[in-house]
Amino acid sequence: MPEAALETWCLTPDPVTTTGEALTMGKMAETQGWTTATVVTGRMHARRVHTMFEQCANIDVVVKYPDYIRWNRVPYQIGHEVGGYIKFWLTNPC
C-alpha cells in the first residue's frame, strides 16, 4: 500500500471490462465521497485506462504502471488498445 494511502480497494466490476471497472469505481467514489484515486494497470493500458476512468468515474485519476514492457506482446497490445478506444467512443458507456 502506498505510504499516503488510507486504504486499498479491489473492485469486482460489472461488466468485467475496463469500462466496467471505471463505472464501478465511479459508484464507489460517489458513495465514499472520493475525489481522487490511484489506478494500477499495465504500461500499455495506461492511457486508455486514464481516459476511461476520468470519463466514467468523474474523479481525478492517477494511473501507475510498472516500467517494463513485454515487447513480444506489443503488436497485440496496440491492436487491443486501439480497439478498446474505438469501442469506448462508439458506445459512449458512461
Side-chain angles (χ1 to χ4, degrees):
M1 179 179 335
E3 255 181 59
L6 299 176
E7 297 180 66
T8 299
W9 295 72
C10 295
L11 301 177
T12 304
D14 182 29
V16 183
T17 62
T18 306
T19 301
E21 292 169 341
L23 291 167
T24 301
M25 172 70 82
K27 290 175 190 171
M28 287 176 66
E30 188 175 319
T31 61
Q32 297 295 321
W34 301 337
T35 57
T36 62
T38 300
V39 179
V40 181
T41 189
R43 186 174 184 172
M44 295 295 289
H45 301 289
R47 184 169 295 183
R48 183 169 58 92
V49 166
H50 188 270
T51 299
M52 290 181 176
F53 273 74
E54 284 215 328
Q55 295 288 319
C56 296
N58 197 31
I59 58 175
D60 291 327
V61 176
V62 175
V63 177
K64 296 291 186 177
Y65 52 85
D67 288 333
Y68 67 90
I69 294 178
R70 293 170 55 190
W71 291 103
N72 62 328
R73 304 228 349 120
V74 168
Y76 166 79
Q77 293 291 6
I78 290 171
H80 181 81
E81 295 308 305
V82 169
Y85 260 121
I86 291 169
K87 179 182 175 186
F88 181 75
W89 294 115
L90 288 177
T91 61
N92 193 23
C94 304

